[in-house]
Coordinates of all heavy atoms in Angstrom, one line a residue:
M1 N 119.0 79.0 116.5 CA 118.0 79.2 115.5 C 117.7 80.7 115.5 O 117.5 81.3 116.5 CB 116.7 78.4 115.8 CG 115.7 78.5 114.7 SD 114.4 77.3 115.1 CE 113.6 77.2 113.6
S2 N 117.7 81.3 114.3 CA 117.5 82.7 114.2 C 116.0 83.1 114.2 O 115.2 82.2 113.8 CB 118.2 83.2 112.9 OG 117.5 82.7 111.8
D3 N 115.7 84.3 114.6 CA 114.4 84.8 114.6 C 113.9 85.0 113.2 O 114.5 85.8 112.5 CB 114.3 86.0 115.4 CG 112.9 86.6 115.6 OD1 112.0 85.9 115.2 OD2 112.8 87.7 116.1
P4 N 112.8 84.4 112.8 CA 112.3 84.6 111.4 C 111.8 86.0 111.1 O 111.7 86.4 109.9 CB 111.2 83.5 111.2 CG 110.8 83.2 112.6 CD 112.0 83.4 113.5
L5 N 111.5 86.7 112.1 CA 111.0 88.1 112.0 C 112.1 89.1 112.2 O 111.8 90.3 112.1 CB 109.8 88.4 112.9 CG 108.6 87.5 112.7 CD1 107.6 87.8 113.8 CD2 108.0 87.7 111.3
A6 N 113.3 88.7 112.4 CA 114.4 89.7 112.6 C 114.7 90.4 111.3 O 114.6 89.8 110.2 CB 115.7 88.9 113.1
L7 N 115.1 91.7 111.4 CA 115.4 92.5 110.2 C 116.9 92.2 109.9 O 117.8 92.3 110.7 CB 115.3 94.0 110.5 CG 113.8 94.5 110.5 CD1 113.8 96.0 110.9 CD2 113.2 94.3 109.1
R8 N 117.1 91.8 108.6 CA 118.4 91.6 108.1 C 118.9 92.9 107.5 O 118.1 93.6 106.8 CB 118.5 90.5 107.2 CG 118.1 89.2 107.8 CD 118.2 88.0 106.8 NE 117.9 86.8 107.5 CZ 116.7 86.1 107.4 NH1 115.8 86.6 106.5 NH2 116.5 85.0 108.0
P9 N 120.1 93.3 107.7 CA 120.6 94.6 107.1 C 120.5 94.7 105.6 O 120.1 95.8 105.1 CB 122.1 94.6 107.5 CG 122.2 93.7 108.7 CD 121.1 92.7 108.5
W10 N 120.7 93.6 104.9 CA 120.6 93.7 103.4 C 119.1 93.9 103.0 O 118.9 94.5 102.0 CB 121.3 92.5 102.8 CG 120.7 91.2 103.1 CD1 121.0 90.4 104.1 CD2 119.6 90.5 102.4 NE1 120.2 89.2 104.1 CE2 119.3 89.3 103.1 CE3 118.8 90.9 101.3 CZ2 118.3 88.4 102.7 CZ3 117.8 90.0 100.9 CH2 117.6 88.8 101.6
V11 N 118.2 93.4 103.8 CA 116.8 93.6 103.4 C 116.4 95.0 103.6 O 115.7 95.6 102.8 CB 115.9 92.6 104.3 CG1 114.4 93.0 104.1 CG2 116.1 91.2 103.9
V12 N 116.8 95.6 104.8 CA 116.6 97.0 105.0 C 117.2 97.9 103.9 O 116.6 98.8 103.4 CB 117.1 97.4 106.4 CG1 117.0 98.9 106.6 CG2 116.4 96.6 107.5
L13 N 118.4 97.5 103.5 CA 119.1 98.2 102.4 C 118.3 98.2 101.1 O 118.2 99.2 100.4 CB 120.5 97.7 102.3 CG 121.4 98.4 101.2 CD1 121.6 99.9 101.6 CD2 122.7 97.7 101.0
V14 N 117.8 97.0 100.8 CA 117.1 96.8 99.5 C 115.8 97.6 99.6 O 115.4 98.3 98.6 CB 116.8 95.3 99.3 CG1 115.8 95.2 98.2 CG2 118.1 94.6 98.9
V15 N 115.1 97.6 100.7 CA 113.9 98.4 100.9 C 114.1 99.9 100.8 O 113.4 100.6 100.1 CB 113.1 98.0 102.2 CG1 112.0 99.0 102.5 CG2 112.6 96.6 102.2
A16 N 115.2 100.3 101.4 CA 115.6 101.8 101.4 C 116.0 102.1 100.0 O 115.6 103.2 99.5 CB 116.7 102.0 102.4
A17 N 116.7 101.3 99.3 CA 117.1 101.6 97.9 C 115.9 101.6 97.0 O 115.8 102.5 96.1 CB 118.2 100.6 97.4
T18 N 115.0 100.7 97.2 CA 113.8 100.7 96.4 C 113.0 102.0 96.6 O 112.4 102.6 95.7 CB 112.9 99.5 96.7 OG1 113.7 98.3 96.5 CG2 111.7 99.4 95.9
A19 N 112.9 102.5 97.9 CA 112.2 103.7 98.2 C 112.8 104.9 97.5 O 112.2 105.7 96.9 CB 112.1 103.9 99.7
V20 N 114.1 104.9 97.5 CA 114.9 106.1 96.9 C 114.7 106.1 95.4 O 114.4 107.1 94.8 CB 116.4 106.0 97.3 CG1 117.2 107.0 96.4 CG2 116.6 106.3 98.8
V21 N 114.8 104.9 94.8 CA 114.6 104.8 93.3 C 113.2 105.2 92.9 O 112.9 105.9 92.0 CB 115.0 103.4 92.8 CG1 114.5 103.2 91.4 CG2 116.5 103.2 93.0
T22 N 112.2 104.7 93.7 CA 110.8 105.1 93.4 C 110.6 106.6 93.6 O 109.9 107.2 92.7 CB 109.9 104.3 94.4 OG1 110.1 102.9 94.2 CG2 108.4 104.7 94.2
Y23 N 111.1 107.2 94.6 CA 111.0 108.6 94.8 C 111.6 109.4 93.7 O 111.0 110.3 93.1 CB 111.6 109.0 96.2 CG 111.6 110.5 96.4 CD1 110.4 111.1 96.8 CD2 112.7 111.3 96.2 CE1 110.3 112.5 97.0 CE2 112.7 112.6 96.4 CZ 111.5 113.2 96.8 OH 111.4 114.6 97.0
L24 N 112.8 109.0 93.3 CA 113.5 109.7 92.2 C 112.8 109.5 90.9 O 112.7 110.5 90.1 CB 115.0 109.1 92.1 CG 115.9 109.5 93.2 CD1 117.3 108.9 93.0 CD2 116.0 111.0 93.3
T25 N 112.2 108.4 90.7 CA 111.4 108.2 89.4 C 110.2 109.1 89.4 O 109.9 109.8 88.4 CB 110.9 106.7 89.4 OG1 112.1 105.9 89.4 CG2 110.1 106.5 88.1
K26 N 109.5 109.2 90.5 CA 108.4 110.1 90.6 C 108.8 111.6 90.4 O 108.2 112.3 89.7 CB 107.6 109.9 91.9 CG 106.9 108.6 91.9 CD 106.0 108.5 93.2 CE 105.2 107.2 93.1 NZ 104.3 107.1 94.2
V27 N 109.8 112.0 91.2 CA 110.3 113.4 91.1 C 110.8 113.7 89.7 O 110.5 114.8 89.2 CB 111.3 113.6 92.2 CG1 112.0 115.0 92.0 CG2 110.7 113.6 93.6
G28 N 111.5 112.7 89.1 CA 112.0 112.9 87.8 C 110.9 113.1 86.7 O 111.0 113.9 85.8
G29 N 109.8 112.3 86.9 CA 108.7 112.5 86.0 C 108.0 113.8 86.1 O 107.6 114.5 85.1
I30 N 107.8 114.2 87.4 CA 107.2 115.6 87.6 C 108.1 116.7 87.1 O 107.6 117.6 86.4 CB 106.9 115.7 89.1 CG1 105.8 114.8 89.6 CG2 106.5 117.2 89.4 CD1 105.6 114.7 91.1
W31 N 109.4 116.5 87.3 CA 110.3 117.5 86.8 C 110.3 117.6 85.2 O 110.2 118.6 84.6 CB 111.8 117.2 87.2 CG 112.8 118.1 86.7 CD1 113.1 119.4 87.1 CD2 113.6 117.9 85.5 NE1 114.0 119.9 86.3 CE2 114.4 119.1 85.4 CE3 113.8 116.8 84.7 CZ2 115.3 119.2 84.3 CZ3 114.7 116.9 83.6 CH2 115.5 118.1 83.5
L32 N 110.3 116.4 84.6 CA 110.3 116.3 83.2 C 109.0 116.9 82.6 O 109.0 117.7 81.6 CB 110.4 114.9 82.7 CG 110.4 114.6 81.2 CD1 111.7 115.3 80.6 CD2 110.5 113.1 80.9
L33 N 107.8 116.6 83.2 CA 106.6 117.1 82.7 C 106.4 118.6 82.9 O 105.7 119.3 82.2 CB 105.4 116.4 83.3 CG 105.1 115.0 82.8 CD1 104.0 114.3 83.5 CD2 104.9 115.1 81.3
S34 N 107.2 119.2 83.9 CA 107.1 120.6 84.1 C 107.9 121.3 83.1 O 107.8 122.5 82.9 CB 107.7 121.0 85.5 OG 109.1 120.7 85.6
R35 N 108.8 120.6 82.3 CA 109.6 121.2 81.3 C 109.0 121.1 79.9 O 109.5 121.7 78.9 CB 111.0 120.6 81.3 CG 111.7 120.6 82.6 CD 112.8 121.6 82.6 NE 113.5 121.6 83.8 CZ 113.8 122.7 84.5 NH1 113.5 123.9 83.9 NH2 114.4 122.7 85.6
V36 N 108.0 120.2 79.8 CA 107.4 119.9 78.5 C 105.9 120.4 78.5 O 105.2 120.2 79.5 CB 107.4 118.4 78.2 CG1 106.8 118.1 76.9 CG2 108.9 117.9 78.2
E37 N 105.5 121.0 77.4 CA 104.1 121.4 77.3 C 103.3 120.1 76.9 O 103.6 119.4 75.9 CB 103.9 122.4 76.2 CG 102.5 122.9 76.1 CD 102.3 124.3 75.6 OE1 103.3 125.0 75.6 OE2 101.2 124.6 75.1
V38 N 102.3 119.9 77.7 CA 101.5 118.6 77.6 C 100.2 119.0 77.0 O 99.5 119.9 77.4 CB 101.3 118.0 79.0 CG1 100.4 116.7 78.9 CG2 102.6 117.7 79.6
S39 N 99.8 118.2 75.9 CA 98.6 118.5 75.3 C 97.4 118.0 76.1 O 97.6 117.2 77.1 CB 98.5 117.7 73.9 OG 98.5 116.3 74.1
D40 N 96.2 118.4 75.8 CA 95.0 118.0 76.6 C 94.8 116.5 76.5 O 94.4 115.8 77.5 CB 93.8 118.7 76.1 CG 93.8 120.2 76.5 OD1 94.6 120.5 77.4 OD2 93.1 120.9 75.8
R41 N 95.2 115.9 75.3 CA 95.0 114.5 75.2 C 96.0 113.7 76.0 O 95.6 112.7 76.7 CB 95.2 114.1 73.7 CG 94.9 112.7 73.4 CD 95.0 112.5 71.9 NE 94.7 111.1 71.6 CZ 94.1 110.7 70.5 NH1 93.8 111.6 69.6 NH2 93.9 109.5 70.3
V42 N 97.2 114.1 76.1 CA 98.2 113.5 76.9 C 97.8 113.6 78.4 O 97.9 112.7 79.2 CB 99.6 114.0 76.7 CG1 100.6 113.5 77.7 CG2 100.1 113.6 75.3
R43 N 97.4 114.8 78.8 CA 97.0 115.1 80.2 C 95.8 114.2 80.6 O 95.8 113.6 81.6 CB 96.5 116.6 80.3 CG 96.2 116.9 81.8 CD 95.8 118.4 81.9 NE 96.8 119.3 81.3 CZ 97.9 119.7 82.0 NH1 98.1 119.3 83.2 NH2 98.8 120.5 81.4
A44 N 94.8 114.0 79.7 CA 93.7 113.1 79.9 C 94.2 111.7 80.1 O 93.7 110.9 81.0 CB 92.7 113.2 78.8
G45 N 95.2 111.3 79.3 CA 95.7 109.9 79.4 C 96.5 109.7 80.7 O 96.4 108.7 81.4
L46 N 97.2 110.7 81.1 CA 98.0 110.6 82.4 C 97.0 110.6 83.6 O 97.3 110.0 84.6 CB 98.9 111.8 82.5 CG 100.1 111.7 81.6 CD1 101.0 113.0 81.7 CD2 101.0 110.5 81.8
E47 N 95.9 111.3 83.5 CA 94.9 111.3 84.6 C 94.3 109.9 84.8 O 94.0 109.6 86.0 CB 93.9 112.3 84.4 CG 94.4 113.7 84.6 CD 93.4 114.8 84.3 OE1 92.2 114.5 84.0 OE2 93.7 116.0 84.4
V48 N 94.1 109.1 83.8 CA 93.5 107.8 83.9 C 94.5 106.7 84.1 O 94.1 105.5 84.3 CB 92.5 107.5 82.8 CG1 91.4 108.5 82.8 CG2 93.2 107.4 81.5
L49 N 95.8 107.0 84.0 CA 96.8 106.0 84.0 C 96.8 105.2 85.3 O 96.9 104.0 85.3 CB 98.2 106.6 83.8 CG 99.3 105.7 83.6 CD1 99.1 104.8 82.4 CD2 100.6 106.4 83.4
P50 N 96.7 105.8 86.5 CA 96.7 105.0 87.7 C 95.6 103.9 87.8 O 95.8 102.8 88.1 CB 96.5 106.0 88.9 CG 97.0 107.3 88.3 CD 96.7 107.2 86.8
G51 N 94.4 104.3 87.3 CA 93.3 103.4 87.3 C 93.6 102.2 86.3 O 93.2 101.1 86.5
A52 N 94.2 102.6 85.2 CA 94.5 101.6 84.2 C 95.5 100.6 84.7 O 95.5 99.4 84.4 CB 95.0 102.3 82.9
I53 N 96.5 101.1 85.4 CA 97.5 100.2 86.0 C 96.9 99.3 87.0 O 97.2 98.1 87.0 CB 98.6 101.1 86.6 CG1 99.4 101.8 85.5 CG2 99.6 100.2 87.5 CD1 100.4 102.8 86.0
V54 N 96.0 99.8 87.8 CA 95.3 98.9 88.8 C 94.5 97.8 88.1 O 94.6 96.7 88.5 CB 94.4 99.8 89.8 CG1 93.5 98.9 90.6 CG2 95.2 100.7 90.6
V55 N 93.8 98.2 87.1 CA 93.0 97.2 86.3 C 94.0 96.2 85.7 O 93.7 95.0 85.7 CB 92.1 97.9 85.3 CG1 91.5 96.9 84.4 CG2 91.1 98.7 86.0
A56 N 95.1 96.7 85.1 CA 96.0 95.7 84.5 C 96.6 94.8 85.5 O 96.9 93.6 85.2 CB 97.1 96.5 83.8
V57 N 96.9 95.2 86.7 CA 97.4 94.4 87.7 C 96.4 93.4 88.3 O 96.7 92.2 88.5 CB 98.1 95.2 88.9 CG1 98.5 94.3 90.0 CG2 99.3 95.9 88.3
L58 N 95.2 93.9 88.6 CA 94.2 93.1 89.3 C 93.4 92.3 88.3 O 92.8 91.3 88.7 CB 93.3 94.0 90.1 CG 94.0 94.7 91.3 CD1 92.9 95.5 92.0 CD2 94.6 93.7 92.2
G59 N 93.3 92.7 87.0 CA 92.4 92.0 86.1 C 92.8 90.5 86.0 O 91.9 89.6 86.1
P60 N 94.1 90.1 85.7 CA 94.4 88.7 85.6 C 94.1 88.0 86.9 O 93.7 86.8 86.9 CB 95.9 88.7 85.3 CG 96.1 90.1 84.7 CD 95.2 91.0 85.3
Q61 N 94.4 88.6 88.1 CA 94.1 87.9 89.3 C 92.6 87.7 89.5 O 92.2 86.6 90.0 CB 94.6 88.8 90.5 CG 96.1 88.9 90.6 CD 96.8 87.6 90.8 OE1 96.3 86.8 91.6 NE2 97.9 87.4 90.1
L62 N 91.8 88.6 89.1 CA 90.3 88.5 89.1 C 89.9 87.4 88.2 O 89.0 86.6 88.5 CB 89.7 89.8 88.8 CG 88.2 89.9 89.0 CD1 87.8 89.6 90.4 CD2 87.6 91.2 88.6
A63 N 90.5 87.3 87.0 CA 90.1 86.3 86.0 C 90.4 84.9 86.5 O 89.7 83.9 86.2 CB 90.8 86.6 84.7
E64 N 91.5 84.8 87.3 CA 91.9 83.5 87.8 C 91.2 83.2 89.1 O 91.3 82.1 89.6 CB 93.4 83.4 88.0 CG 94.2 83.5 86.8 CD 95.7 83.5 87.0 OE1 96.1 83.4 88.2 OE2 96.5 83.5 86.0
G65 N 90.5 84.2 89.7 CA 89.9 84.0 91.0 C 88.6 83.2 90.8 O 88.2 82.7 89.8
G66 N 87.9 83.1 92.0 CA 86.7 82.3 92.0 C 85.6 83.2 92.5 O 85.7 84.4 92.5
P67 N 84.5 82.6 92.9 CA 83.3 83.4 93.4 C 83.6 84.4 94.5 O 83.1 85.5 94.5 CB 82.3 82.3 93.9 CG 82.7 81.1 93.0 CD 84.2 81.2 92.8
P68 N 84.5 84.1 95.5 CA 84.8 85.1 96.5 C 85.4 86.3 95.9 O 85.0 87.5 96.3 CB 85.8 84.4 97.5 CG 85.5 82.9 97.3 CD 85.1 82.8 95.8
E69 N 86.3 86.2 95.0 CA 87.0 87.3 94.4 C 86.0 88.1 93.5 O 86.1 89.3 93.4 CB 88.2 86.9 93.6 CG 89.4 86.4 94.5 CD 89.2 85.0 95.0 OE1 88.3 84.2 94.5 OE2 89.9 84.6 95.9
W70 N 85.2 87.4 92.8 CA 84.2 88.1 91.9 C 83.2 88.8 92.7 O 82.8 89.9 92.3 CB 83.5 87.1 91.0 CG 84.5 86.3 90.1 CD1 85.7 86.6 89.7 CD2 84.3 85.0 89.6 NE1 86.3 85.6 89.0 CE2 85.4 84.6 88.9 CE3 83.2 84.0 89.7 CZ2 85.6 83.4 88.3 CZ3 83.4 82.8 89.0 CH2 84.5 82.5 88.3
A71 N 82.8 88.3 93.8 CA 81.8 89.0 94.7 C 82.5 90.2 95.3 O 81.8 91.3 95.4 CB 81.3 88.0 95.8
A72 N 83.7 90.1 95.7 CA 84.4 91.2 96.3 C 84.6 92.3 95.2 O 84.5 93.5 95.5 CB 85.8 90.8 96.8
A73 N 84.9 91.9 94.0 CA 85.0 92.9 92.9 C 83.7 93.6 92.7 O 83.7 94.9 92.5 CB 85.4 92.2 91.6
A74 N 82.6 92.9 92.8 CA 81.3 93.6 92.7 C 81.1 94.6 93.9 O 80.5 95.7 93.7 CB 80.1 92.5 92.7
V75 N 81.5 94.2 95.1 CA 81.4 95.2 96.2 C 82.3 96.4 95.9 O 81.8 97.5 96.2 CB 81.9 94.5 97.5 CG1 82.0 95.5 98.6 CG2 80.9 93.4 97.9
V76 N 83.5 96.2 95.4 CA 84.4 97.3 95.1 C 83.7 98.2 94.1 O 83.7 99.5 94.2 CB 85.7 96.9 94.6 CG1 86.5 98.0 94.0 CG2 86.5 96.2 95.7
A77 N 83.1 97.7 93.0 CA 82.5 98.5 92.0 C 81.3 99.2 92.6 O 81.1 100.4 92.3 CB 82.0 97.6 90.9
L78 N 80.6 98.6 93.4 CA 79.4 99.3 94.0 C 79.8 100.4 94.9 O 79.3 101.5 94.8 CB 78.6 98.3 94.8 CG 77.3 98.8 95.5 CD1 76.3 99.2 94.5 CD2 76.7 97.8 96.4
V79 N 80.8 100.2 95.8 CA 81.3 101.2 96.7 C 81.9 102.4 95.9 O 81.7 103.6 96.2 CB 82.3 100.7 97.7 CG1 82.9 101.8 98.5 CG2 81.6 99.7 98.6
A80 N 82.7 102.0 94.9 CA 83.3 103.1 94.1 C 82.3 103.9 93.3 O 82.4 105.1 93.2 CB 84.3 102.5 93.1
R81 N 81.3 103.2 92.8 CA 80.2 104.0 92.1 C 79.4 104.9 93.0 O 79.1 106.0 92.7 CB 79.3 102.9 91.5 CG 78.1 103.5 90.8 CD 78.5 103.8 89.4 NE 77.3 104.2 88.6 CZ 77.4 104.9 87.5 NH1 78.5 105.2 87.0 NH2 76.3 105.2 86.9
R82 N 79.1 104.4 94.2 CA 78.3 105.2 95.1 C 79.1 106.3 95.8 O 78.5 107.4 96.1 CB 77.7 104.3 96.2 CG 76.6 103.4 95.6 CD 75.7 103.0 96.7 NE 74.5 102.6 96.0 CZ 73.3 102.7 96.6 NH1 73.2 103.1 97.8 NH2 72.2 102.3 96.0
T83 N 80.4 106.1 96.2 CA 81.1 107.0 97.0 C 82.1 107.8 96.1 O 82.4 108.9 96.5 CB 81.8 106.4 98.1 OG1 82.9 105.5 97.6 CG2 80.9 105.6 99.0
G84 N 82.7 107.2 95.1 CA 83.7 107.9 94.3 C 85.0 107.9 95.1 O 86.0 108.6 94.7
N85 N 85.1 107.2 96.2 CA 86.3 107.2 97.1 C 87.1 106.0 96.8 O 86.7 104.9 97.1 CB 85.8 107.3 98.5 CG 87.0 107.5 99.5 OD1 88.1 107.1 99.2 ND2 86.7 108.3 100.5
I86 N 88.3 106.1 96.3 CA 89.2 105.0 96.0 C 89.6 104.3 97.2 O 89.6 103.0 97.3 CB 90.3 105.4 95.1 CG1 89.9 105.9 93.8 CG2 91.4 104.3 94.9 CD1 90.9 106.5 92.9
L87 N 90.0 105.0 98.2 CA 90.5 104.4 99.5 C 89.4 103.6 100.1 O 89.7 102.5 100.6 CB 91.1 105.5 100.4 CG 91.8 104.9 101.7 CD1 92.9 104.0 101.3 CD2 92.2 106.1 102.5
L88 N 88.2 104.1 100.2 CA 87.1 103.4 100.8 C 86.8 102.2 100.0 O 86.5 101.1 100.5 CB 85.9 104.3 100.9 CG 84.7 103.7 101.6 CD1 85.0 103.3 103.0 CD2 83.5 104.7 101.6
S89 N 86.8 102.3 98.7 CA 86.6 101.1 97.8 C 87.6 100.1 98.0 O 87.3 98.9 98.1 CB 86.6 101.6 96.3 OG 85.7 102.6 96.1
L90 N 88.9 100.5 98.2 CA 90.0 99.5 98.4 C 89.7 98.8 99.7 O 89.8 97.6 99.8 CB 91.3 100.2 98.4 CG 92.5 99.4 98.8 CD1 92.8 98.4 97.7 CD2 93.7 100.3 99.0
A91 N 89.4 99.5 100.8 CA 89.2 98.9 102.1 C 88.0 98.0 102.0 O 88.0 96.9 102.6 CB 88.9 100.0 103.1
A92 N 86.9 98.4 101.3 CA 85.7 97.5 101.2 C 86.1 96.3 100.5 O 85.6 95.2 100.8 CB 84.6 98.3 100.5
G93 N 86.9 96.4 99.4 CA 87.3 95.2 98.6 C 88.1 94.2 99.5 O 87.9 93.0 99.4
V94 N 89.1 94.7 100.2 CA 89.9 93.9 101.1 C 89.0 93.2 102.1 O 89.1 91.9 102.3 CB 91.0 94.7 101.7 CG1 91.7 93.8 102.8 CG2 92.0 95.1 100.7
G95 N 88.2 93.9 102.7 CA 87.3 93.3 103.7 C 86.3 92.3 103.1 O 86.1 91.2 103.6
A96 N 85.8 92.6 101.9 CA 84.9 91.7 101.2 C 85.5 90.4 100.8 O 85.0 89.4 101.0 CB 84.3 92.5 100.0
V97 N 86.7 90.5 100.3 CA 87.4 89.3 99.8 C 87.7 88.4 101.0 O 87.6 87.2 100.9 CB 88.6 89.6 98.9 CG1 89.8 90.0 99.7 CG2 88.9 88.4 98.1
V98 N 88.1 89.0 102.1 CA 88.4 88.2 103.3 C 87.1 87.5 103.8 O 87.1 86.3 104.1 CB 89.0 89.0 104.4 CG1 89.0 88.3 105.8 CG2 90.4 89.5 104.0
A99 N 86.0 88.3 103.9 CA 84.7 87.8 104.3 C 84.2 86.7 103.4 O 83.7 85.6 103.8 CB 83.7 88.9 104.5
F100 N 84.2 87.0 102.1 CA 83.7 86.0 101.1 C 84.5 84.7 101.1 O 84.0 83.6 100.9 CB 83.6 86.6 99.7 CG 82.5 87.6 99.6 CD1 82.7 88.8 99.0 CD2 81.2 87.3 100.1 CE1 81.7 89.8 98.9 CE2 80.2 88.2 100.0 CZ 80.4 89.5 99.4
R101 N 85.8 84.8 101.3 CA 86.6 83.6 101.3 C 86.3 82.8 102.5 O 86.4 81.6 102.5 CB 88.1 84.0 101.3 CG 88.6 84.4 99.9 CD 90.1 84.7 99.9 NE 90.6 85.0 98.6 CZ 91.8 85.5 98.3 NH1 92.6 85.7 99.3 NH2 92.1 85.8 97.1
A102 N 86.0 83.4 103.6 CA 85.6 82.7 104.8 C 84.2 82.1 104.7 O 84.0 81.0 105.2 CB 85.6 83.6 106.0
L103 N 83.3 82.7 103.9 CA 82.0 82.2 103.8 C 81.8 81.3 102.7 O 80.9 80.3 102.8 CB 81.0 83.4 103.7 CG 80.9 84.4 104.9 CD1 80.0 85.6 104.5 CD2 80.3 83.6 106.0
L104 N 82.4 81.5 101.6 CA 82.2 80.7 100.3 C 83.1 79.6 100.2 O 84.2 79.5 100.7 CB 82.2 81.6 99.1 CG 81.2 82.7 99.1 CD1 81.3 83.6 97.8 CD2 79.7 82.2 99.1

């Protein structure tokens, strides 16, 4: 019987290839934007894009969630509002959803 936690070479290869493609995509975008003059409107749109992506990814999950997820979202909103720190908000949200799922 094989070890379920053993690293398979093709899995490592896929993860490494994904990392390389992700890096090239990011570097390519930065290179492309350094060659093009960006208007203030486009710059403003690009600055809020990460937050919009997070909302687009998490929104449906939150809509399908229940009281624990909704309470955790409230904790995230509160921490983000008070601290303005995304990483701290993320950590608070993960901790809150684990705690609320255990309690509710």
Side-chain angles (χ1 to χ4, degrees):
M1 186 171 197
S2 67
D3 182 11
L5 298 178
L7 283 178
R8 295 185 179 104
W10 62 271
V11 172
V12 174
L13 181 64
V14 168
V15 170
T18 303
V20 169
V21 169
T22 301
Y23 177 77
L24 290 176
T25 303
K26 289 184 176 189
V27 169
I30 292 170
W31 177 80
L32 181 64
L33 284 178
S34 70
R35 306 253 181 226
V36 177
E37 184 156 337
V38 178
S39 69
D40 290 341
R41 188 175 180 150
V42 171
R43 185 178 306 276
L46 290 174
E47 287 178 0
V48 298
L49 189 59
I53 291 171
V54 169
V55 170
V57 169
L58 295 180
Q61 294 295 322
L62 187 59
E64 292 178 1
E69 289 79 15
W70 302 334
V75 170
V76 169
L78 180 68
V79 171
R81 177 86 175 163
R82 290 206 157 206
T83 66
N85 187 328
I86 293 175
L87 186 59
L88 184 59
S89 303
L90 177 67
V94 170
V97 78
V98 169
F100 287 133
R101 282 181 179 171
L103 294 174
L104 299 178

